[in-house]
Amino acid sequence: FHKTTRFERMRPWLIQFGALTAVAGIAAVTRFRDLGLRTFQGDETVYSLIAAQVSRGDGWEQSTVVHGPAQFFASAAAFRMLGTTDLSARIMPAIFGVLLAMLPLLFARHIGQLGAIVAALLLAVSPVMMYYSRFAGPDIYLAFFTLATAMLLWRYLAAPDRSYLYLMAVTLAFAA
């Protein structure tokens, strides 16, 4: 009879914590390094001008030219806290990029611990995800809330519970 040691009992938690730390570190470094140095693109200018308008309290008006309000209110919050700069315009997409890379780790029970770690690492180092995480536009928000919706749908199908449906409604609303 083998009595399990404390390390053996804590090994799954330590692996999960190590993976979470590594993914968050890699994603944060690749998203935040020199974030405000690149010149704004045309679309970033339009999105940032609208967010600056919201941060000044001039209100929000839906336009057919741009996407839903979530990105503008997120950037407006950054503008209110950090001032209106290139860095503050891109900080919320960078934060959502880090969160997107970490989302698969919350799904380890369904896709396996190794699968969740690999998926998270691939999202953390993906050149496409890095680009959109450093771009003041709607793409990273859409990617984050779409993946969150897919994960909630999978959880709902595994164990039907109304709370998953409510959370899916929230994620779909913010993805718009």
Side-chain angles (χ1 to χ4, degrees), residues 131-150:
Y131 174 80
Y132 287 116
S133 295
R134 299 171 56 85
F135 180 80
D139 307 296
I140 198 65
Y141 301 105
L142 181 62
F144 175 82
F145 288 114
T146 301
L147 182 58
T149 302

Side-chain angles (χ1 to χ4, degrees), residues 48-61 79:
S48 296
L49 285 172
I50 295 170
Q53 172 186 328
V54 172
S55 74
R56 286 190 308 268
D58 293 340
W60 161 257
E61 185 176 321
F79 287 161

Side-chain angles (χ1 to χ4, degrees), residues 4-160:
T4 59
T5 65
R6 180 180 171 144
F7 176 76
E8 289 174 329
R9 289 190 306 272
M10 296 205 41
R11 187 179 351 190
W13 183 87
L14 290 172
I15 291 171
Q16 188 77 9
F17 180 75
L20 178 73
T21 305
V23 168
I26 291 168
V29 167
T30 58
R31 269 89 175 149
F32 288 104
R33 186 172 165 262
D34 298 334
L35 187 61
L37 296 182
R38 194 171 42 104
T39 306
F40 257 30
Q41 294 181 354
D43 287 347
E44 286 183 299
T45 304
V46 171
Y47 297 134
S48 296
L49 285 172
I50 295 170
Q53 172 186 328
V54 172
S55 74
R56 286 190 308 268
D58 293 340
W60 161 257
E61 185 176 321
Q62 178 62 39
S63 171
T64 57
V65 179
V66 296
H67 296 275
Q71 69 177 352
F72 302 113
F73 284 98
S75 292
F79 287 161
R80 293 292 296 250
M81 288 187 284
L82 304 171
T84 308
T85 65
D86 293 359
L87 173 68
S88 59
R90 293 182 177 136
I91 201 149
M92 291 308 284
I95 290 170
F96 272 87
V98 172
L99 294 174
L100 174 68
M102 293 169 41
L103 264 180
L105 296 174
L106 297 175
F107 208 53
R109 184 175 44 179
H110 297 280
I111 60 175
Q113 190 170 36
L114 181 61
I117 293 170
V118 169
L121 283 173
L122 288 173
L123 284 171
V125 300
S126 165
V128 172
M129 291 299 117
M130 275 190 258
Y131 174 80
Y132 287 116
S133 295
R134 299 171 56 85
F135 180 80
D139 307 296
I140 198 65
Y141 301 105
L142 181 62
F144 175 82
F145 288 114
T146 301
L147 182 58
T149 302
M151 290 173 56
L152 288 167
L153 178 62
W154 202 336
R155 282 196 173 180
Y156 176 77
L157 292 175

